[in-house]
Amino acid sequence: MTRRGVGARLKGGSAVNLDWLFKRVRTPVPARGPLCFGLALGGGVIRGAAHLGVLAVLEREGIRPDVVAGVSAGAIAGAGIASGVTAAEMFEAVRRATWLQFAVPAWRSKMSMFESASLRALVEKVTTASDFEGLQLPFAALACDLLSGTEVTMTSGPLREAVLASAAIPGLFEPVRRGDQLLVDGQLLVNVPVQAARDLGADYVLGVDIMPPPSVSPEPPDWREVLLLSWDIVQRGSRRGGAAPDLMVTPAVGSMRPWDFVHIADAYDAGVAAMEEALPRLRADLGLDQGEKKAPAR
């Protein structure tokens, strides 16, 4: 008998093909779509302009994030990109900012030295949505509840109040009341909100740390600089969101004082340079060829 397969002959001469017993059963594996790409943007006052440089490079390359998380200055930039505002538009809104614009004495406040009006006006300039539900991308803003000392992650409700809370440096700007919470700058607890981006669904997180150690800290000339330098140290010591990013970009802004507004353009350029350097690694990690744009995650 010529063998064409594994078989058995039943009584009466009829054959039964048993090849199916020996075939390797393969379960089809569904093709995976594009990774959910998340941004985690840290705080750093005027160093936040570096975020805009990073975003400008991503926009040019067609690498659009699927989710964004931000704290302090990173919350302002993050709310902007989630609103659909471009890096160039945000940079135009901040490039002429000055210390005097924000250092307006809060004579009627018992909780802050300065009025929050200018900070609120800046947030309104770089956001087009009034609440989280009106954003184009999922977004999280991190703050700290001053009463409990706990981290607060906001992903719904009034957007501008959440961003204002995330950037309210305690003692300088008025805390933001939210129910029974008193919210201040989230960078007290988290420097780069990586875990918040993961919680929004990110498979891959690009972190941007704009609080690297300084090369040299000049001696503070007055009480204002003593206060700001102290806050700077607190920010540098805050943890990086409890989880490591897949790629951390660290613009060279460590020598810039947090309120040195004349260096806004320099911070932007540092963000561009840092993202340009990291671009080949990011493209490789996301599986993108040179010049290929990232498809939205499904």
Side-chain angles (χ1 to χ4, degrees):
M1 179 178 72
T2 302
R3 180 181 176 88
R4 292 188 176 179
V6 179
R9 189 168 293 279
L10 298 178
K11 186 177 180 180
S14 59
V16 178
N17 192 315
L18 300 180
D19 281 354
W20 63 275
L21 286 174
F22 301 90
K23 288 182 178 178
R24 183 178 179 181
V25 178
R26 297 194 179 191
T27 303
V29 178
R32 180 168 183 173
L35 291 174
C36 181
F37 172 42
L39 288 180
L41 307 178
V45 197
I46 69 100
R47 298 186 188 102
H51 290 316
L52 307 183
V54 170
L55 295 174
V57 174
L58 295 178
E59 288 174 8
R60 184 198 71 203
E61 296 295 315
I63 304 177
R64 178 178 170 82
D66 299 295
V67 300
V68 184
V71 63
S72 196
I76 298 174
I81 188 174
S83 295
V85 179
T86 67
E89 290 170 333
M90 286 189 275
F91 181 64
E92 183 62 29
V94 302
R95 69 186 184 92
R96 293 190 179 92
T98 65
W99 164 258
L100 293 177
Q101 178 182 337
F102 292 92
V104 178
W107 302 113
R108 298 180 181 180
S109 175
K110 296 180 180 180
M111 293 189 181
S112 67
M113 293 177 61
F114 304 133
E115 296 283 356
S116 298
S118 293
L119 186 59
R120 182 183 296 274
L122 174 61
V123 172
E124 291 176 352
K125 281 183 180 179
V126 302
T127 55
T128 58
S130 59
D131 52 45
F132 282 84
E133 290 70 25
L135 294 172
Q136 297 180 12
L137 299 175
F139 170 64
L142 273 69
C144 171
D145 178 15
L146 197 60
L147 303 181
S148 66
T150 57
E151 177 184 328
V152 177
T153 302
M154 296 166 282
T155 58
S156 63
L159 174 66
R160 289 162 180 163
E161 289 299 309
V163 175
L164 194 63
S166 182
I169 298 175
L172 294 186
F173 296 111
E174 186 86 15
V176 175
R177 295 189 182 277
R178 184 174 180 261
D180 58 356
Q181 297 172 323
L182 197 61
L183 303 182
V184 295
D185 196 319
Q187 206 176 4
L188 273 173
L189 299 175
V190 178
N191 184 29
V192 181
V194 176
Q195 188 57 53
R198 301 256 188 232
D199 293 342
L200 288 175
D203 302 307
Y204 184 98
V205 177
L206 170 66
V208 184
D209 184 4
I210 55 174
M211 292 296 296
S215 53
V216 177
S217 291
E219 182 175 329
D222 53 34
W223 66 268
R224 182 192 67 177
E225 289 295 331
V226 169
L227 179 62
L228 294 176
L229 188 58
S230 300
W231 173 246
D232 208 7
I233 293 171
V234 171
Q235 290 176 311
R236 291 181 197 280
S238 61
R239 59 190 174 88
R240 287 184 168 180
D246 297 280
L247 175 61
M248 182 71 84
V249 172
T250 308
V253 293
S255 62
M256 298 179 189
R257 290 176 175 172
W259 291 89
D260 203 353
F261 284 87
V262 297
H263 289 301
I264 286 178
D266 295 330
Y268 176 92
D269 291 341
V272 170
M275 192 63 247
E276 292 280 13
E277 183 178 351
L279 195 56
R281 161 78 184 279
L282 179 63
R283 281 196 168 279
D285 288 353
L286 296 180
L288 299 175
D289 295 329
Q290 182 65 34
E292 181 182 0
K293 295 184 178 181
K294 183 191 176 298
R298 296 180 179 85

